[in-house]
DNA sequence: TGGGTGCGTGAATCCGTAA
DNA sequence: CTTACGGATTCACGCACCC
C-alpha cells in the first residue's frame, strides 16, 4: 500500500493510524488534547475576559477515560512507526505525566524531555500560583533498541556551536503567523509556533522522511515539514481546521538553503534579580547595607530580597531612591556591604552570579 | 502525640510516615530515588550510571514495582498532611511521569510543574541526545479544595517585582556548599542546591510550619528549613547520610529577626469596612466622591457607609462596578475625594485607619 | 517615514470568608 | 451545603494609530 503522503485524512486518528501499514513512518509528532479541566470564566485585572480553551475535544470525564484514549492512540502510532522511528508528544502538567507513563508502559524509550520555555506566557492573573510559563515535550524512540535519528551537528550549529539543551526558549505563536478567521478570531485555540516544529524536525528527521501528525489542527507540522523537505500525513477531525491547514500549506515554499533557519541566540546578559543573591546565600537575611557618601544611609536585607529601613521597604532600587528622595536609583551600585575593612558595592555579587550562569 | 520536630528518623520512610499522626504537617518535600534496577532494589543514580539496557529487562514488571513503591510512600505522605497542606516532588524524565500520574490518581491537585533549569549541566559527551539540562518539580495540594500556602508577594519581590515563573534557573550544588568526605569524594551523589529549597520553602510555607522530607539524604531541606525558621522532620535509611546531615544542620544559623522572613501582603492585612471611615469621622455623610478618568462619575456618601448616585445605591465596590457596567470593582482605588486642589483615592483613608490599628 | 503610545491577547485546572 | 460580596490581581509582544 502506498502512503497518503502530504495529505490530511479527515476523521478520528486511531482509525486512520490503524489503516496505515505497520512500520512505515519515520516520526510521529502529536499535540493531543490536554484535558485542561478549566473552571468558570477568568477575568484579567482590567476585567476583560480570558479566552480559555473550552472546546469539546478537550473535555474528558475522568483520568481513566483520558488514559484509555491516550493508550489507544499511542499504541496505534507505535504500530505504524519503523523500528528505528521516534515519537514526540507535547503537553502541560494537566496531561503530560499520564502520557509519559503510558509511553513507558507501551515500550517507548524516552530520550529527552524538552521544556518549551515561553518567552511571553500569559501571566497568572489572580496571583495564586507561579506563572505557567512552559510546556513539556517528550521525545522517545520506538524502543530501547531503536537507532533513532539525531542531527547533533545541526542542533549545535543552531545554538551558536554549543550543544542544544533540553530547554528551548521560544515565543508563542502570535502576530501574522497566527491564523485568523472572520473578524480576526483565532482559527485554532492552541496553534503551535513554527519555530518549535522547525527544531523538532531539524533535530530528529532527515529530508524525505515521513512524519505523521495525528492531531493535525491547522497544520503547523505540515507547513514546517513541507518547508524542510519532509513528507507529512495529517489526521484531523474538524473540517474547518483542515480547510485552514490546506490553504496554509499550499502557500509554503520549501527552503533551498537550510542554514537560513539558524536562530542565533541573542547573547543578552542574563537578568539577575537581587533576590537571587539571597537565595544563593551570598548575603544573609539581616545583613546591613550602606548607601551614600560615608555610609549615610543603612538598610537591612530581608529574606525575600527587599530592603527595609525605618521608613521604607522595597527593592534595592526603590529604597535607594526613597532614602535619597531621588526619582530613581541603581541599587546595585548605590548599596555597599562590609567586606573586612572595605566597603564593596553589592554589584560585585551580581557579577559573581553572572559568571556562574555561564 | 508530639511531632519529632527538627530531628532525623533513621529507617524506611513509609514506616516512619505511618507512625506520625494524620493531618499534622504542612508540607512534604520529596526527592525520591528514581533509578530502576534489576533485582528490585531501588538505587539512587550515580556518575557511573549506565545508559545501555539489559536485554532481559522487562519494562512492565520493573515499572510496576516502582509504581507500587511510589504509590505507597505518596499515600503515606498524604495521610500526614494537613488538609490544606501541599507536597513537592523532584525528579527527571526517568521517573517523574510515573510519580505525576500517581499523584493525580491519589487525589493530589497539581498547582504547577516547575522546571529547574540548570545553569551548568553536565554535557552530553556522546552527542546522542539533547543536553539534559533540567529537572522537574511538581507542586501539588493535598486536594483540589485545599487552601494551600503561596507567598505570592515574596516570590514577586524575589524576582525584581515580576511574577515568578515556572522555570527557575539555578546552578548545580558545587563548590563549598557540596558536602565532601574523605579524599574529597562527594558524600551524596545528588545533593540538591540550597537555593532550590530556599525558593520552595519561601514560596509555600510560613515561618513555624512543619516540613517533612522522606528522602532526607544529607539534609538540604533541613538546613534551609532551619535557616528560614521552619521545622523539619527528616527520614533517611543511610546512617552515613544522617551523620553528615546532622553535622551540617548544626552549623546553620537561623535568621534571627522573624520580621525579615515574611513579606506583608495585601490579602493578609486586616479588612477595613468603608463604614468605619464614616464612623471615625474621616468622611462626612454627604461628601461627594469622584470615579473614573476625569471624574466621569460622582456619588454621595451616606451615613451607613454606602454610596448613592442617581441610579444606584450600595457599597463602594458595587456602585463602582455598576456605574462602569463592569463585573467587579475595587471601590477603594476607584473612588477619589477632593483634598485641596488634588484628587486623592479614598484608599488613603483606609491606610490611615490601618496605621492606627498598630 | 519615524518614533511614541495605547490596546489586545496568549493551552488557565486563577478567591476567601462570612452568613 | 450554597450564596453573597468585599476587593485583589498582569507580562511580553505585535500591531494600529497618531503626530
Amino acid at each position: 500500500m502506498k502512503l497518503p503522503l502530504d495529505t490530511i485524512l479527515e476523521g478520528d486518528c486511531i482509525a486512520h493510524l490503524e489503516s496505515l501499514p505497520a512500520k512505515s513512518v519515520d516520526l510521529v509528532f502529536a499535540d493531543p488534547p490536554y484535558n485542561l479541566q478549566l473552571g468558570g470564566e477568568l477575568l484579567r485585572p482590567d476585567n476583560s475576559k480570558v479566552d480559555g480553551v473550552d472546546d469539546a475535544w478537550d473535555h474528558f470525564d475522568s483520568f481513566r477515560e483520558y488514559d484509555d484514549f491516550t493508550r489507544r492512540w499511542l499504541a496505534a502510532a507505535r504500530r505504524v512507526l519503523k523500528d528505528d522511528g521516534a515519537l514526540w508528544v507535547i503537553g502541560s502538567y494537566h496531561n503530560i505525566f499520564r502520557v509519559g507513563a503510558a509511553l513507558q508502559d507501551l515500550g517507548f524509550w524516552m530520550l529527552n524531555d524538552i521544556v518549551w520555555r515561553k518567552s511571553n506566557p500569559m501571566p497568572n492573573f489572580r496571583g495564586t500560583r507561579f506563572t505557567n510559563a512552559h510546556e513539556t515535550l517528550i521525545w522517545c524512540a520506538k524502543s530501547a533498541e531503536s537507532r533513532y535519528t539525531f542531527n547533533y551537528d545541526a542542533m549545535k550549529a543552531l545554538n551558536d556551536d554549543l550543544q542544544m539543551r533540553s530547554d528551548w526558549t521560544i515565543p508563542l505563536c502570535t502576530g501574522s503567523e497566527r491564523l485568523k478567521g472572520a473578524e480576526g478570531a483565532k482559527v485554532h485555540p492552541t496553534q503551535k509556533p513554527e519555530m518549535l516544529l522547525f527544531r523538532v524536525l531539524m533535530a530528529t528527521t532527515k529530508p524525505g522522511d515521513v512524519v505523521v501528525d495525528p492531531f493535525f489542527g491547522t497544520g503547523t507540522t505540515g507547513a514546517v515539514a513541507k518547508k524542510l523537505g519532509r513528507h507529512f500525513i495529517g489526521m484531523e477531525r474538524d473540517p474547518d481546521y483542515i480547510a485552514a491547514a490546506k490553504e496554509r500549506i499550499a502557500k509554503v515554499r520549501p527552503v533551498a538553503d537550510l542554514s537560513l533557519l539558524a536562530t542565533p541566540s541573542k547573547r543578552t546578559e542574563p537578568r539577575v534579580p537581587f533576590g537571587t543573591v539571597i537565595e544563593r546565600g551570598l548575603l544573609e537575611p539581616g545583613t546591613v547595607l550602606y548607601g551614600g557618601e560615608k555610609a549615610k544611609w543603612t538598610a537591612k536585607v530581608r529574606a525575600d530580597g527587599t530592603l527595609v529601613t525605618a521608613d521604607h521597604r522595597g527593592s534595592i532600587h526603590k529604597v535607594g531612591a526613597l532614602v535619597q528622595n531621588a526619582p530613581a536609583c541603581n541599587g546595585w551600585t548605590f548599596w555597599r556591604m562590609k567586606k573586612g575593612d572595605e566597603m564593596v558595592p553589592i554589584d560585585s555579587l551580581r557579577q559573581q552570579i553572572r559568571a556562574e550562569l555561564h
Side-chain angles (χ1 to χ4, degrees), chain A:
Chain A
M1 177 200 164
K2 237 176 101 184
L3 289 173
L5 294 184
D6 306 318
T7 58
I8 308 172
L9 309 176
E10 181 174 339
D12 178 65
C13 69
I14 295 174
H16 282 305
L17 286 167
E18 288 173 349
S19 77
L20 294 182
K23 305 189 181 188
S24 61
V25 312
D26 300 287
L27 193 82
V28 172
F29 181 91
D31 182 11
Y34 287 8
N35 189 22
L36 284 187
Q37 310 169 70
L38 299 182
E41 69 173 18
L42 177 63
L43 298 180
R44 303 169 201 268
D46 65 2
N47 281 325
S48 65
K49 216 173 85 181
V50 173
D51 184 15
V53 178
D54 54 359
D55 304 69
W57 51 253
D58 196 50
H59 181 75
F60 294 83
D61 285 332
S62 63
F63 282 133
R64 171 181 290 265
E65 194 186 316
Y66 187 80
D67 290 346
D68 287 346
F69 163 74
T70 299
R71 281 160 204 267
R72 279 170 51 229
W73 75 257
L74 278 176
R78 190 159 190 267
R79 190 189 67 85
V80 303
L81 275 177
K82 296 178 183 172
D83 284 342
D84 291 339
L87 175 141
W88 288 80
V89 200
I90 182 167
S92 66
Y93 67 86
H94 310 83
N95 71 322
I96 197 65
F97 301 104
R98 317 201 72 82
V99 173
L103 281 172
Q104 292 177 315
D105 289 343
L106 290 169
F108 286 98
W109 186 247
M110 283 197 191
L111 299 168
N112 279 112
D113 58 336
I114 298 289
V115 174
W116 168 24
R117 186 176 173 271
K118 301 177 184 180
S119 56
N120 51 347
M122 186 158 70
N124 182 296
F125 294 115
R126 302 300 293 268
T128 55
R129 303 179 178 189
F130 297 96
T131 304
N132 192 2
H134 74 276
E135 293 185 23
T136 301
L137 299 97
I138 298 173
W139 173 41
C140 53
K142 180 171 178 177
S143 77
E145 294 75 35
S146 301
R147 290 163 304 164
Y148 57 90
T149 296
F150 180 56
N151 301 316
Y152 175 78
D153 294 305
M155 285 301 100
K156 198 166 172 181
L158 275 177
N159 195 37
D160 282 353
D161 288 330
L162 295 176
Q163 285 190 348
M164 187 71 82
R165 299 167 39 114
S166 56
D167 58 298
W168 303 351
T169 303
I170 293 178
L172 296 173
C173 180
T174 60
S176 59
E177 187 187 324
R178 187 83 192 220
L179 297 182
K180 302 278 173 59
E183 297 168 7
K186 53 192 177 192
V187 175
H188 193 285
T190 70
Q191 186 181 340
K192 295 295 176 290
E194 295 196 359
M195 188 173 167
L196 191 68
L197 272 295
F198 276 149
R199 197 167 290 181
V200 166
L201 296 185
M202 283 289 283
T204 61
T205 61
K206 295 188 273 285
D209 276 2
V210 177
V211 180
V212 168
D213 185 336
F215 306 96
F216 201 62
T218 46
T220 306
T221 302
V224 178
K226 181 175 176 187
K227 191 175 287 186
L228 295 180
R230 276 72 167 166
H231 295 291
F232 67 88
I233 301 171
M235 299 164 186
E236 174 56 49
R237 296 194 304 189
D238 186 322
D240 294 337
Y241 294 165
I242 292 177
K246 278 184 178 165
E247 186 183 338
R248 171 188 190 184
I249 294 169
K251 290 183 194 152
V252 172
R253 295 278 158 268
V255 285
D257 183 358
L258 294 184
S259 69
L260 296 177
L261 299 173
T263 50
S265 61
K266 287 176 189 167
R267 284 267 160 224
T268 54
E269 264 197 295
R271 190 175 62 86
V272 177
F274 179 67
T276 303
V277 171
I278 317 300
E279 290 182 313
R280 293 282 287 137
L282 301 178
L283 276 185
E284 293 294 322
T287 306
V288 176
L289 300 183
Y290 305 86
E293 296 291 316
K294 294 187 286 187
K296 186 168 170 187
W297 295 285
T298 62
K300 220 178 247 188
V301 173
R302 291 163 39 83
D304 63 6
T306 57
L307 300 188
V308 272
T309 67
D311 305 320
H312 307 294
R313 186 174 62 78
S315 72
I316 53 172
H317 315 293
K318 185 176 164 190
V319 174
L322 285 168
V323 296
Q324 298 178 89
N325 200 21
C329 167
N330 181 345
W332 288 107
T333 52
F334 176 72
W335 295 105
R336 287 165 296 157
M337 59 189 185
K338 273 206 178 124
K339 196 171 181 181
D341 292 342
E342 311 242 353
M343 291 285 234
V344 186
I346 58 176
D347 199 39
S348 60
L349 301 171
R350 183 168 61 163
Q351 304 300 341
Q352 189 178 332
I353 287 173
R354 280 193 174 143
E356 289 172 9
L357 293 180
H358 283 282

